[in-house]
Every structure is written in C-alpha cells, then in structure tokens.
Amino acid sequence: MKMKKAFFLDRDGVINADHGYVSQPEDFEFLPGVFEACCAIKAAGYLLVIVTNQAGIARGYYTEDDFHALTSWMRDQFRREGIDIDAIHYCPHHPTEGLAHYKQQCDCRKPAPGMLLEAAQRLNIDLAASVMVGDKPSDMEAGRRAGVPQLYAIEGGYALNKDDGVARFPSLLAITQHLFGAGPRQD
Ligand SMILES: O=P(O)(O)OC[C@@H](O)[C@H]1O[C@@H](OP(=O)(O)O)[C@@H](O)[C@@H](O)[C@@H]1O
Ligand SMILES: [Mg+2]
Ligand SMILES: [Zn+2]
C-alpha cells in the first residue's frame, strides 16, 4: 500500500494563539489564514496531523475531558471550513510538574518524537516525505528525531535562533504560500 505524506502541526502558536494553556473555546483564537493554509495542505495531498503537548493536564490546570471537549469543538470549526483533520495526538504528561500518574518521563512529550512516530505507524505515513511546523525548538527537535526532513518554524514568542537549518515564517499561511504558491495545488 502506498505510503502517505503528512503535515505535522503543533497546535498552540501554529493553529491558535498561544495564550498559555488554552483549554476553552472562548480562549481559542485561530491565527489568521489557518483555514486557507490547511485547505492548501489537504489539496496538495498531505494528511493533517496535530501533535500537541498538553502539560496543562499534568499540571492540573484542566482535565483530559476539557481537552477532548475543546478538541471536538476545534474539529467542528475545521469541518465547517471543509477541512477534515486526520489525527490529533496529545501528550498529557510532564516529567517533573505532573500530578499523580501524569508525572512521567514519557516518549510523547516533544522534543521526544513519540507522537509523530505513533501517527506514522497508525496512518502509514512516510516521515521522509513529511513536514513539521512548530513554534518552539522542541517542535523542531521532535520532527528531526522522527526523521521529518522539512522543518518550518513560525516566528512567535519563542527563541528559535538555535535551530540552524530551520526555515522561519510569520504564519502557517506564509509557509503554504511558499511551498504551493498562492492557491492550492494537486500533485
Ligand atoms: O504548542 P503545543 O505543543 O500545541 O502546546 C503547548 C501548550 O501545551 C503549553 O505548553 C507550555 O509549556 P509546558 O509544556 O508546560 O512546558 C507553555 O508553553 C504554554 O504557554 C503552552 O500553552
Ligand atoms: Mg506551540
Ligand atoms: Zn507524554
């Protein structure tokens, strides 16, 4: 069976503004151009896979159920724009600040590559043909460790200057316009 290629997207800082541990729809602010960019990604034949660290769960700021409720609301917003998100992987852990069983040195919290590797296995993704977009060095490292060669960083509040070889753009839309031109493309 032919392998698929994927766009791995970090959530906070790529899809929505990272206001810090966002857990409610009213705090979820889609960044400009995200829907247009995601349409272009799907039209170019990529799966859309979100990989998000959600240590707010480990820290006790919100529950896993809160996360699922927000995720289902977010999926609906994409669906209303005609976009089907293929998978959403999240890490609820934290190695030192986590409460109870959430305190663990897991292999899913970025910069570990676990979420990307699991999605690749489940969805038959060719990592070498895939793209990772994030806003922190840990996103870039997760992509690198998973074997994703195309790494793109969105310039936001985080220092990314140690990420040599990472292309920097102001938004997801700027990345898709760079890769696919102004409109969506089928290949
Ligand atoms: O950008 P993604 O991976 O989608 O999600 C990041 C969030 O879970 C939060 O991650 C936190 O870091 P800690 O994970 O607590 O160190 C902080 O950076 C928060 O501002 C941020 O909202
Ligand atoms: Mg982020
Ligand atoms: Zn984890």
Side-chain angles (χ1 to χ4, degrees), residues 91-93 106 108-109:
C91 166
H93 310 117
C106 61
C108 42
R109 179 175 162 82

Side-chain angles (χ1 to χ4, degrees), residues 10-13 18-22 51-56 59 62 94 109-110 135-136 139 158:
D10 173 50
R11 198 194 77 180
D12 300 319
D18 188 348
H19 293 311
Y21 305 106
V22 172
V51 286
T52 177
N53 280 358
Q54 289 297 319
R59 294 172 187 274
Y62 50 91
H94 193 279
R109 179 175 162 82
K110 297 170 289 185
D135 70 327
K136 289 186 192 172
D139 299 318
Y158 296 100

Side-chain angles (χ1 to χ4, degrees), residues 54-64 92-105:
Q54 289 297 319
I57 298 168
R59 294 172 187 274
Y61 299 159
Y62 50 91
T63 67
E64 223 154 326
H93 310 117
H94 193 279
T96 56
E97 305 303 315
L99 306 173
H101 64 285
Y102 291 118
K103 180 172 170 176
Q104 53 172 283
Q105 192 77 51

